Amino acid sequence: MTKSEALAILHSRTSGVPFEALEFLSALPYDQDIEDKIIFHLDNAYDERVAMLNQRLPNLPLWYAILAEVHASERMVASVINLFTTPDSPDWDLLDEQGLFLVGMLSERYPQKVASFLDAIEKQVSKKSNAPYLFLYDSIYFADDTAHGEQISRLLSHPDTGWKPLLAVHVAERRLQSCRNEVQKLHESFLPYTQKGTNENLIREELQYALELFDDEAHEPGCYYHQRGDWKAHYKSAEQLFDQENPMLATIFSNVGRNDLCPCGSGKKYKSCCLKK
């Protein structure tokens, strides 16, 4: 198989997972041409014009996002950010999960780019955006107090920051002590809410959990990048999903769908509530 033949398979496979082509391309050394293609498909994942051209290939952005695990440089950061800062983007669960993996991978590989992820989050907050920028929170697992503590504290204190309990847990798991006071203030603001089953009480409990994590040295951070494992084994376990009509929207690795109501009773979607605990 050649590189051109493998790429042609990605652009012709209408069902199933093209493991052979993905393995071949992933085994190649870093290739800027492949990265250029990855960037194009990530940047245009939600472009209706491109989607119409590739309507028989709904998983094409996912295949390229998998290849990003090998063929990525700092240039990739902007495209991964774009995945999670597009307003009114559809819930493409598998692409979201692969993008989440890339957030962690790029943050670890290029620690100087953690600030880029945080800047993107702050920009979304300032615009009161409905984009799913919570997926960018995984960059916090690679932040540090000196370089990023002040900016993360601003996010914790900003009234329009979304998914604050999740943000607080990430901060605590990373043990960013410079942000501890802001988490404490958040928790204190929810202390009056003790009625079981209410969303406010659940937030209070989550913030209490975050405060406890600051001192729990035995706790392993829930970074998706470190937890997922090898891409091939991951997608092999979900291979049957790609026989469905629209696998990019399929639920995965849980009896509760990511877009189902969370079983904790918060009224939120599972992916925006307890999925990442």
Side-chain angles (χ1 to χ4, degrees):
M1 183 183 295
T2 66
K3 170 184 156 182
S4 296
E5 290 170 341
L7 290 171
I9 290 173
L10 299 188
H11 285 260
S12 60
R13 181 68 65 86
T14 58
S15 63
V17 182
F19 284 111
E20 185 179 359
L22 289 170
E23 282 186 279
F24 177 86
L25 294 166
S26 295
L28 296 176
Y30 165 78
D31 186 308
Q32 184 174 333
D33 174 58
I34 295 177
E35 184 181 31
D36 288 342
K37 290 178 170 57
I38 296 166
I39 287 173
F40 173 83
H41 286 282
L42 293 183
D43 284 344
N44 293 282
Y46 303 123
D47 188 310
E48 292 183 1
R49 294 167 299 176
V50 176
M52 285 298 293
L53 292 173
N54 295 321
Q55 59 183 324
R56 295 178 61 252
L57 304 166
N59 296 298
L60 195 56
L62 177 61
W63 306 151
Y64 277 104
I66 291 171
L67 295 179
E69 296 184 24
V70 174
H71 304 286
S73 69
E74 291 185 47
R75 294 192 302 135
M76 189 74 65
V77 170
S79 297
V80 172
I81 288 173
N82 189 57
L83 276 179
F84 300 124
T85 55
T86 301
D88 301 311
S89 59
D91 290 326
W92 273 11
D93 290 349
L94 299 180
L95 186 59
D96 284 346
E97 289 191 355
Q98 184 64 26
L100 181 64
F101 181 93
L102 296 178
V103 170
M105 183 194 81
L106 292 167
S107 296
E108 181 178 73
R109 189 177 295 178
Y110 307 109
Q112 70 275 17
K113 289 297 184 179
V114 170
S116 298
F117 288 111
L118 296 176
D119 288 345
I121 294 168
E122 206 160 30
K123 184 176 180 180
Q124 295 301 302
V125 170
S126 70
K127 297 192 302 183
K128 299 183 180 181
S129 169
N130 68 357
Y133 59 85
L134 79 161
F135 290 100
L136 301 179
Y137 287 177
D138 265 35
S139 62
I140 289 169
Y141 288 122
F142 305 94
D144 66 70
D145 277 319
T146 301
H148 310 109
E150 182 179 349
Q151 187 172 21
I152 296 170
S153 291
R154 282 202 308 270
L155 287 169
L156 285 164
S157 63
H158 198 292
D160 296 321
T161 299
W163 306 283
K164 276 189 182 178
L166 178 64
L167 176 61
V169 169
H170 280 49
V171 166
E173 287 187 309
R174 181 59 177 170
R175 298 187 181 87
L176 297 175
Q177 297 296 338
S178 66
C179 303
R180 187 170 190 155
N181 284 342
E182 290 302 330
V183 176
Q184 181 70 49
K185 289 177 186 177
L186 273 175
H187 178 251
E188 289 173 359
S189 71
F190 280 89
L191 283 178
Y193 302 103
T194 57
Q195 183 177 347
K196 294 293 184 181
T198 63
N199 188 49
E200 291 81 6
N201 182 60
L202 290 167
I203 292 174
R204 180 187 62 80
E205 292 177 346
E206 186 76 352
L207 293 170
Q208 177 62 46
Y209 173 65
L211 287 172
E212 294 168 359
L213 287 177
F214 274 107
D215 300 314
D216 186 358
E217 296 183 1
H219 177 79
E220 292 292 332
C223 177
Y224 184 68
Y225 169 59
H226 286 157
Q227 292 180 339
R228 192 207 66 183
D230 176 72
W231 73 265
K232 185 178 179 182
H234 180 77
Y235 288 101
K236 273 286 187 184
S237 66
E239 190 172 10
Q240 73 278 4
L241 295 176
F242 293 89
D243 294 328
Q244 299 176 12
E245 182 178 352
N246 199 350
M248 288 296 285
L249 300 175
T251 56
I252 187 170
F253 306 127
S254 175
N255 290 326
V256 181
R258 291 168 55 85
N259 294 309
D260 293 341
L261 288 177
C262 189
C264 76
S266 67
K268 298 180 181 179
K269 290 184 179 181
Y270 178 54
K271 70 178 182 182
S272 303
C273 191
C274 294
L275 173 62
K276 299 188 68 181
K277 285 187 181 181

